[in-house]
Amino acid sequence: MIEFRVEVADVHSHRFLVTMRVAKPAAYQRLRLPAWIPGSYLIREFVRHLSPLSAEQGGQARPVMQMDKATWEIATEGRAALTVRYEVHAFDTSVRAAFLDAQRGFFNGTSVFLQAEGFEDQPQRVTLAGLPRGWQVATALPALKVNAQGVGVYEAPDYDALIDHPVEMGTFWRGEFTVRGVRHAFVVSGASADLDGERLLADTRRICEAQIGFWHGRRKPDFDHYVFMLNAVEDGYGGLEHRQSTALICARKALPRQGRPAPTDAYTTLLGLISHEYFHTWNVKRLKPTAFAPYDLTTENHTRMLWFFEGFTSYYDDQFLLRTGLIDGSAYLKLLSKTINQVRTTPGRFSHSVGQASFDAWTRYYRPDENTANATVSYYTKGALVGLALDLSLRLLPATEAGQPSLDGVMKALWALRRPITEADVAQALSDVAGRPPNTEALQNADAAADSWQALLHRWTEGCDELPLPRLLAAHGVQWLSKAAPLPQRLGVRLSEAQGVLKVQAVMRGGLAEAAGMSAGDECLALDGWRLRRIEDLVQWHDAGRAQALLVCRDQRLLTLTLKALGAPVAAKASDAPLCAADVVGLTQADVSVASAGADTAKRREAWLGRR
């Protein structure tokens, strides 16, 4: 038994006091803290928030020797219990680490619990103490002895389980519902008094019911309770999955409010986040890549399959909003258009495959800079489009005795393996569900037909060619309309505006902004002598038919750049043919919508977009 006591030491200095007890330590007991947290692929060095460790045994101080940045060794004498104390500075408002102030406390185990070498498989007991009066606790950790507010003792079966159950503390709103025998709690910190909690619960329940049915059919899941922990802030967005819970953050304005029945885009985005993290309960927490079995929390764990575990989850998150009727087909296609355009405005997709982007998550995705869009592609968005392309390809095939092939069947076949998987397993599941792939030559113009799912999957995940989405969508009665992109995109620049300052965030490869010599960090001051304070000003004074003088400020110097003519405006066109040059360089954006279709095509569209 390893025991921890986590005490709220000082809310104003944001400190947790942690006491660790190893009942029967080794002669040279090693302790270490994880360097990263599963689900967020970056070495985060949580150790930087720990105070120096002190140790005692039998009432006598024991020397603590630090072996590396996150490992300590303590020489012990005899078999008396070893007690270790340290403090954790908790002021990270994200879902990845630990936070504490006078209103709220939160922590992930990877930030506060040391791992005792040799005792990883033993039960890990946690006592929560010192909470301010009126605070409650929410966590999926198994409770051993707690009061009505959840304060008390919890116990995990081993260290991996201990660090996979975050803890929320404070005076939060709480609601509950049960699905298929699984108790679901939803807690919200920081919400306004008019939060429509009943609506949030009802909509979340629909998502949970659909996803449990997706993975388990009529059977009960292998967990009996689940906790959603949502922190509402002025501005923020994100989530992190755990085996029986998720930590979420959103802008306060995204929450549903009483007396305002109309859904907002921000609320739909929040529901998509809830759907995404809940889907991870299976896809990555239980169905894992071989590289994560087991995790090595001391160093990077590389995998080329984040396009599957994050990308396919990103495909299904909005799909479940559609399948549960939380959005309709038109709203779903708008969300799909947004994903398509996010990928199309990323020049890095021509040089960096989504498989390579997965492998490089540790050095690229979580360390974005002004050149990220030119150097890589998101395995979330590009992976979602790979999932879409596979799903639409499968749905073109004839039905079998098992029913119409679809990506759903592939996911369930992989789930049935009950073991970590590889890309070869995905290809085999595709083959088992559907046989040979459809004749993609008819859909991709000059692209040769793939003779196997393995070849097709490899092409789409390890190559940099465009996915055949326009033709696949057209085969399902959905038209791809290419229309002129917003002006900054056509110029090849990403801009921000704040307090009257128009600033360059990134310059895209091969665009007019790059040719003009614009750089990240430039302040755009004037165009042909007209003052620029907002993107709207740039649109107002820009003349696509001629070169213009752009005045910028760089490193406190004024520079005049020449912005070349953009050329003829891009005409809207239906794209059932391969993408043209204007599509590739970002002059256009996609808008997918329902089109007129024959009976067979309309039937396929209904099967894909219809509510189930």
Side-chain angles (χ1 to χ4, degrees), residues 221-277:
D222 63 354
F223 55 95
D224 59 8
H225 67 289
Y226 189 94
V227 182
F228 292 94
M229 308 173 196
L230 174 60
N231 182 28
V233 296
E234 177 63 22
D235 186 27
Y237 176 82
L240 188 63
E241 69 276 2
H242 299 276
R243 65 182 67 185
Q244 288 179 231
S245 60
T246 182
L248 309 165
I249 187 169
C250 77
R252 196 169 288 112
K253 63 185 177 183
L255 290 169
R257 299 168 65 182
Q258 297 175 20
R260 303 188 183 190
T264 64
D265 289 344
Y267 181 53
T268 298
T269 300
L270 172 58
L271 292 177
L273 177 64
I274 291 169
S275 178
H276 183 100
E277 301 304 336

Side-chain angles (χ1 to χ4, degrees), residues 2 6 12 66 79 96 128 165 173 293 379 445 485 516 538:
I2 303 297
V6 180
H12 300 303
Q66 188 162 3
R79 300 297 288 173
R96 298 179 294 265
L128 303 176
H165 291 88
W173 175 90
Y379 49 77
N445 198 23
L538 178 66

